[in-house]
Every structure is written in structure tokens, then in C-alpha cells.
Amino acid sequence: MGQKTNPISNRIGITRGWVSNWCGGNYAEKIAEDYKIRKYLVNRLANASISKIVIERTLKLITVTIQAARPGVIIGKGGTAVDNLKKELNKVTNKDVQINIFEVRRPEVDAAIVADSIARQIEGRVSYRRAIKMAVSTAMRVGAEGIKVQISGRVGGAEMARSEMFKEGRTPLHTFRADIDYALAEAHTKVGVLGIKVWICNGEVYGKKDLSPNAGIAAASAQPQGQGRPSRGDRGPRRGGKGRRGGASQDSEK
């Protein structure tokens, strides 16, 4: 089932929590309202590189937490853009809205941001191979354990639609404890729509994890960039290389 289902919904209750946190009556209305809020924010803040939107509700208040790579675009000069955004959401929902904004410290290993970046580059007529290979190499260098990117549609302007996949490292979709981030983005080109799917493995989660919606947001924002798994150059020689188990290194041979 790991290959068939969405990796995030497949891990809800294990390593992932819900991004809409509320309960009560009028279930269908609230779902439709959440959809409207998310759609409005994604279109309104297209330049902010949004990673996640978490919606929490109380009786009279909606709390919207936005995690983005460029929070300055949302905040604006002196916080004026946030105030305007709050007024616009009040009109959309007819309720009081509170907005919290967090910065994504490592956008290179965030699937939503990576997929959107590849899509925007393809729309700007950058070669899809170049855009995807750059994203893959950057994610591995920053500290991802593995990344997989699939592009589907009339790739490269071809007459017949096809799919291509680029992989590096490990992305174990059947391992529930694996922290798999997944996202889908669309690139609207003059030959049609291309779908870009991104899977990023950020290691494995051991023990019980806090599944509250904003549990990992503050911690991720506070973590300095570059922490986590060392880059390939810092990990020493590969297994079986001449620099391991007492063998002669390349420098000694020279």
C-alpha cells in the first residue's frame, strides 16, 4: 500500500498529525471553508513559498498557522500585509481570524517548496532535467536521506505524454516510521499541464511523536540551517573504499 496511497495520509496517527484540527457540527461546511481558506492563501501568497497551512478552530475564532520559506512576503513592511490578509480572511469566512507565521529554515528538504520551485522553473522554460537534478543534488547536500521526483505529462513538449523519475538515496514508502514528506505541484506550460510529485525522506522517527498540528513547526523554525545529517563530503569514505579498514588511501598512492 505504500506505493498506492498518499505517504502523508498513510502515516496520520503514526508520524503525522492532522493539518485541520477541530470538531463539532456542520462538518461539511467546515471542510468547505477550510478548502476555501487554503485555496485563497495559496493563490494570494504564491510568492511566499508556502509549505503548510494548519487550521485550528474554537467556537468563535479560526487560527491559521502558515509555514513559509519567505515569511517577509506575508508580513510586509511593518506588518501591514498581515493586517490586510486578516481582513480578507474575515470576509471569506465571516469569522474572526488569527494568523501565525513561521519560517521554514530548510526549504531545500521541504517537498511542497521543492515541487513548487521545480514547477515554476519549468514554466520559466528551464530544462526540466536541469531543474530536477539541481533540486535532487541540493536536497541530498543539505541532509535528506533520499529524494524521488516524478514528472508526468507532455515532458519536453513531446507529442505523447509520459512519466520520468529521478531518484537518489532511499525513500522507503512501506516503512511507517520513515519521515516521508510528499507534495504534488503543477506546471502550466504552453503544451499542457505537467504534474510534479516529490518524495523526500528525512530519516526515521523512533519512540512516540507529538502529533499536535503545530508540534514540529516551532522546533523546525528554531533549528539553525544545516543541522542534521552531515553532507556527503563530511561522512568519510564509502564502505569498501581504500580509506577504510587500514587500506592505503588515494593520497598515499600518489
Side-chain angles (χ1 to χ4, degrees), residues 69-176:
R70 303 173 63 193
V73 174
I74 306 173
I75 297 169
K77 191 172 182 181
T80 54
V82 176
D83 296 335
N84 294 334
L85 186 62
K86 192 180 294 186
K87 291 174 184 176
E88 292 165 11
L89 287 178
N90 287 341
K91 291 179 182 177
V92 171
T93 62
N94 293 322
K95 296 182 181 73
D96 291 333
V97 178
Q98 178 183 342
I99 299 176
N100 300 325
I101 302 166
F102 289 95
E103 181 182 4
V104 179
R105 289 290 184 178
R106 300 170 66 199
E108 300 88 356
V109 291
D110 189 289
I113 296 174
V114 170
D116 188 64
S117 171
I118 294 171
R120 299 295 81 78
Q121 289 181 66
I122 292 172
E123 288 177 350
R125 300 194 178 184
V126 175
S127 166
Y128 73 94
R129 281 196 182 91
R130 177 182 174 85
I132 292 174
K133 287 181 178 179
M134 286 272 291
V136 168
S137 62
T138 304
M140 294 300 293
R141 187 175 67 249
V142 167
E145 283 201 5
I147 179 172
K148 179 167 67 173
V149 181
Q150 178 179 303
I151 183 169
S152 305
R154 292 183 60 185
V155 181
E159 295 252 341
M160 185 171 289
R162 68 179 193 274
S163 295
E164 281 193 39
M165 186 173 284
F166 300 79
K167 292 191 286 188
E168 190 169 342
R170 57 187 288 272
T171 50
L173 300 183
H174 285 77
T175 307
F176 282 170

Side-chain angles (χ1 to χ4, degrees), residues 3-254:
Q3 302 293 332
K4 303 286 188 289
T5 60
N6 185 310
I8 294 175
S9 62
N10 205 24
R11 287 166 174 78
I12 285 180
I14 303 170
T15 60
R16 289 278 186 156
W18 296 97
V19 290
S20 289
N21 192 29
W22 44 264
C23 60
N26 299 324
Y27 190 78
E29 291 179 13
K30 290 179 180 177
I31 286 181
E33 196 171 68
D34 282 7
Y35 174 76
K36 282 199 296 184
I37 291 171
R38 286 198 170 88
K39 186 176 180 181
Y40 180 81
L41 288 176
V42 167
N43 293 332
R44 170 80 160 70
L45 306 172
N47 297 326
S49 299
I50 292 178
S51 165
K52 185 192 292 184
I53 299 170
V54 177
I55 299 175
E56 297 175 277
R57 293 173 182 268
T58 58
L59 195 59
K60 296 182 180 179
L61 179 68
I62 300 176
T63 303
V64 179
T65 303
I66 305 172
Q67 193 175 4
R70 303 173 63 193
V73 174
I74 306 173
I75 297 169
K77 191 172 182 181
T80 54
V82 176
D83 296 335
N84 294 334
L85 186 62
K86 192 180 294 186
K87 291 174 184 176
E88 292 165 11
L89 287 178
N90 287 341
K91 291 179 182 177
V92 171
T93 62
N94 293 322
K95 296 182 181 73
D96 291 333
V97 178
Q98 178 183 342
I99 299 176
N100 300 325
I101 302 166
F102 289 95
E103 181 182 4
V104 179
R105 289 290 184 178
R106 300 170 66 199
E108 300 88 356
V109 291
D110 189 289
I113 296 174
V114 170
D116 188 64
S117 171
I118 294 171
R120 299 295 81 78
Q121 289 181 66
I122 292 172
E123 288 177 350
R125 300 194 178 184
V126 175
S127 166
Y128 73 94
R129 281 196 182 91
R130 177 182 174 85
I132 292 174
K133 287 181 178 179
M134 286 272 291
V136 168
S137 62
T138 304
M140 294 300 293
R141 187 175 67 249
V142 167
E145 283 201 5
I147 179 172
K148 179 167 67 173
V149 181
Q150 178 179 303
I151 183 169
S152 305
R154 292 183 60 185
V155 181
E159 295 252 341
M160 185 171 289
R162 68 179 193 274
S163 295
E164 281 193 39
M165 186 173 284
F166 300 79
K167 292 191 286 188
E168 190 169 342
R170 57 187 288 272
T171 50
L173 300 183
H174 285 77
T175 307
F176 282 170
R177 69 170 177 264
D179 184 10
I180 303 289
D181 196 10
Y182 167 79
L184 167 65
E186 293 180 349
H188 296 264
T189 67
K190 67 177 185 179
V191 296
V193 178
L194 301 180
I196 296 119
K197 294 179 178 179
V198 177
W199 296 260
I200 297 178
C201 177
N202 290 311
E204 296 186 0
V205 178
Y206 294 95
K208 191 172 182 180
K209 187 176 180 182
D210 186 3
L211 300 179
S212 59
N214 297 323
I217 294 181
S221 302
Q223 182 180 10
Q225 192 167 356
Q227 277 193 0
R229 190 166 177 260
S231 64
R232 186 167 295 280
D234 298 334
R235 278 182 271 160
R238 294 173 180 265
R239 186 177 297 279
K242 291 186 177 180
R244 188 181 287 269
R245 295 182 182 174
S249 65
Q250 292 180 359
D251 294 335
S252 61
E253 288 180 357
K254 292 180 182 178

